[in-house]
Amino acid sequence: VSLSKQSFRAGPAGSDLANMENESTEVYLTSKLGPDGFVMQSVALDEDEKNTGRLTHCFEFTGLDEDTKYHYILAAEVDTDAGEGWKRAVIGCDNTDTSKEHSFRTAKSSYSSINFAAYSCHDPYSWKAGEAYEGIWPEMAKLRDTLDLTIGGG
């Protein structure tokens, strides 16, 4: 996972996020954003044939600036074999749709009021004629820049 205060897609790194010029993620991003233009954490995830949950991982970044928008991408390294049509930046590389750019805002040090949304993990999607559709997600997307906190519970 890599974080940057500037857009990965609209900035200098956006020229080849799908392949990263066949360089490691760190080498590619350093060449495009400079050594202080991003922060990154890496973890090796193996195939989870027995559904053990090993492919689940939480990243914890410290030292981020408060009340600051950070863009993020999730990228695989150059030697990852994920089949034909594989893109190195698996989240955050679609250059054709800027609404799919992934970002978050860090918390403020203090609040006079707070805007939040909550949803149940039991039905974040809606069902119509026996098939899931986007449900609440289009509405949440409209609010995302006005929310201080989102709670998914269940």
Side-chain angles (χ1 to χ4, degrees):
V1 169
S2 300
L3 308 179
S4 178
K5 292 180 184 177
Q6 63 179 305
S7 168
F8 284 101
R9 288 183 301 161
S15 61
D16 189 25
L17 282 176
N19 296 308
M20 296 187 190
E21 297 173 358
N22 259 357
E23 298 284 353
S24 73
T25 304
E26 184 172 12
V27 167
Y28 177 76
L29 292 178
T30 299
S31 73
K32 300 298 183 182
L33 303 174
D36 297 325
F38 68 100
V39 293
M40 167 179 171
Q41 290 183 14
S42 298
V43 64
L45 299 173
D46 296 320
E47 189 173 344
D48 189 12
E49 294 176 5
K50 297 179 182 172
N51 197 25
T52 62
R54 291 180 308 175
L55 293 179
T56 300
H57 184 79
C58 293
F59 293 92
E60 183 176 341
F61 288 89
T62 59
L64 301 179
D65 294 336
E66 70 177 53
D67 195 20
T68 300
K69 184 175 185 174
Y70 284 90
H71 302 269
Y72 65 92
I73 59 170
L74 176 64
E77 284 305 334
V78 70
D79 58 352
T80 301
D81 180 13
E84 189 176 330
W86 174 250
K87 293 180 181 177
R88 294 271 309 281
V90 295
I91 294 177
C93 76
D94 183 354
N95 290 317
T96 61
D97 186 352
T98 56
S99 70
K100 292 184 179 178
E101 181 148 22
H102 300 284
S103 64
F104 64 91
R105 180 168 293 279
T106 53
K108 300 174 187 175
S109 61
S110 64
Y111 293 84
S112 59
S113 65
I114 187 168
N115 293 318
F116 73 95
Y119 64 92
S120 168
C121 70
H122 295 289
D123 192 17
Y125 298 94
S126 293
W127 295 86
K128 185 175 185 179
E131 292 190 28
Y133 68 98
E134 292 133 340
I136 196 167
W137 299 120
E139 297 305 313
M140 294 284 277
K142 292 176 190 173
L143 298 172
R144 72 176 168 212
D145 291 331
T146 64
L147 298 173
D148 298 304
L149 176 66
T150 305
I151 301 170

